[in-house]
Amino acid sequence: MVTGCRMLVQHEAILAGPSSGAVVYALKEALFHEIPDNSVCVVILHDRGERYMDTVYNDEWVAQHLNAGSL
């Protein structure tokens, strides 16, 4: 979830919530293993990230509450 959120911010300038981040990360993982080349994929980003600035987007909070590998 954290990785997906941060990928969206870094590559697309989209501040999304953790549910959206989890969907994006799952899609990224599936792209490398299950989805054929030249496929079209669609995801719905159903939450915004503003209210997660103190958690998902805060390095200190992530380090304290989640595995460091979640970044």
Side-chain angles (χ1 to χ4, degrees):
M1 102 178 133
V2 172
T3 302
C5 288
R6 292 177 181 211
M7 284 175 14
L8 279 171
V9 167
Q10 183 178 18
H11 298 288
E12 304 296 334
I14 296 172
L15 187 65
S19 297
S20 295
V23 169
V24 168
Y25 187 76
L27 178 62
K28 176 188 172 282
E29 289 299 304
L31 283 172
F32 290 111
H33 304 293
E34 300 173 19
I35 299 174
D37 289 344
N38 299 316
S39 295
V40 176
C41 299
V42 176
V43 297
I44 296 174
L45 304 178
H46 53 280
D47 55 352
R48 297 183 310 199
E50 290 89 356
R51 63 188 201 183
Y52 300 101
M53 296 305 292
D54 293 336
T55 56
V56 172
Y57 293 99
N58 181 306
D59 292 339
E60 187 176 311
W61 184 91
V62 170
Q64 289 177 353
H65 294 90
L66 302 174
N67 181 338
S70 297
L71 291 172

